Amino acid sequence: MKKSTRNILLFIALFSIISATGGLITKLFFKADVPATFIVGGLISGMALTYAVKSYENDDNYMPKDKRLK
């Protein structure tokens, strides 16, 4: 995975976690009518995407190198 693709995916995961946390804070402090499904879904999807990106990075060491035979 290229570094730019990895950074974009991590940004999406971070944005998902931050927006879900913001929804939770809004629900708790301002008693807003925010469905808990969106909060839990945002947290789970953000953490799952972060885990997938981090674990894929660790597997890059075992991928075959792009070397040409001489």
Side-chain angles (χ1 to χ4, degrees):
M1 177 181 309
K2 291 186 178 183
K3 189 173 183 180
S4 60
T5 306
R6 180 181 168 272
N7 288 339
I8 290 171
L9 288 174
L10 286 176
F11 174 76
I12 293 170
L14 180 67
F15 183 77
S16 174
I17 291 171
I18 289 174
S19 62
T21 305
L24 179 64
I25 290 170
T26 303
K27 184 178 179 106
L28 293 177
F29 288 140
F30 301 115
K31 306 293 188 225
D33 190 22
V34 179
T37 308
F38 294 135
I39 296 170
V40 172
L43 289 173
I44 290 174
S45 64
M47 290 180 188
L49 185 59
T50 302
Y51 175 75
V53 170
K54 293 288 187 178
S55 67
Y56 184 79
E57 177 187 340
N58 292 338
D59 290 339
D60 264 353
N61 296 335
Y62 302 108
M63 297 296 286
K65 303 290 183 196
D66 190 25
K67 295 181 180 177
R68 294 181 182 178
L69 296 174
K70 294 183 179 181

